[in-house]
Amino acid sequence: DWGVSRSDYRPAWVKIREAVSWTLSINLVSLLVVYLLSLFLGEWLFRRKEQHKGKLIESVLFFLYSIPRFFLALLLILAFASDTLSPALHIFPSPGFFDSNPEASLLEQWGRYGAQLVLPVICLVLPSLAYLTRIYSIRLRDEKNKPYAFMAWSKGDAEDFITRRHLRRNALLPLIALLGMEIPALFGGSVVIEVLFNIPGMGRLMLQSILIQDWLIVFNILLLI
């Protein structure tokens, strides 16, 4: 028994279940995208560390990591979800209404609101992408300097084969450890992103509950996280 909300007298678990479906759908997609891209970019940077393209991509990643997510979200809304800069750039719909249907599956939600969820996913992916890519590329360089990698190179194995067969599995360990830190965020959601894009997820529900002093909802969300 999770209690009853004091704002609308609905069961607390019902409200949280509706919100967590949105938060999980956005964060799971973001997590999948950021890990796949970080693996690809990390190995690309590892092979082209000293080239101009590698240095340029590394600088762009540093820049993306330094941008706060709320500021990035505002820039994306102004550029691609409104006519503020140019009507031609208004590619995605403006942040609007989402129908909270807890029975809908992940595919149904993305089929109906996919265009409205692209920009929130980008806001969640870009800062994490810069961080994870840097960690992965640095770990690959560290593993390359270890004796087992030198032994594989001395046997005549190609560099791509050494990376795939030997370096990758050891360099992935820090990313797997960081995955454990990301799991609470799957349930907690991003308050700023959900508020700016009007997504009825856990982050926005907790903020609304704090503002109206519906502490039972707040405590249950914190317990779940």
Side-chain angles (χ1 to χ4, degrees), residues 6 40 60 105 128 184 210:
R6 63 178 293 180
F40 172 77
V60 172
S105 65
S128 299
I210 291 172

Side-chain angles (χ1 to χ4, degrees), residues 29-45 57 61 64 121-122 124-134 136-137 175:
V29 171
S30 301
L31 197 63
L32 179 63
V33 171
V34 74
Y35 265 80
L36 290 176
L37 288 179
S38 62
L39 295 181
F40 172 77
L41 280 177
E43 293 186 10
W44 189 87
L45 284 176
I57 294 298
L61 291 176
L64 293 175
V121 168
I122 292 175
L124 293 171
V125 163
L126 288 182
S128 299
L129 175 64
Y131 179 64
L132 293 176
T133 301
R134 285 278 300 164
Y136 185 50
S137 63
L175 298 188

Side-chain angles (χ1 to χ4, degrees), residues 51 66 90 105 114 130 133 137 155 160 165 167 174 184 210 215 218:
Q51 298 181 10
S66 66
H90 191 171
S105 65
T133 301
S137 63
K155 290 191 302 182
D160 289 343
R165 184 71 180 269
L167 305 185
I210 291 172
W215 300 117
V218 176

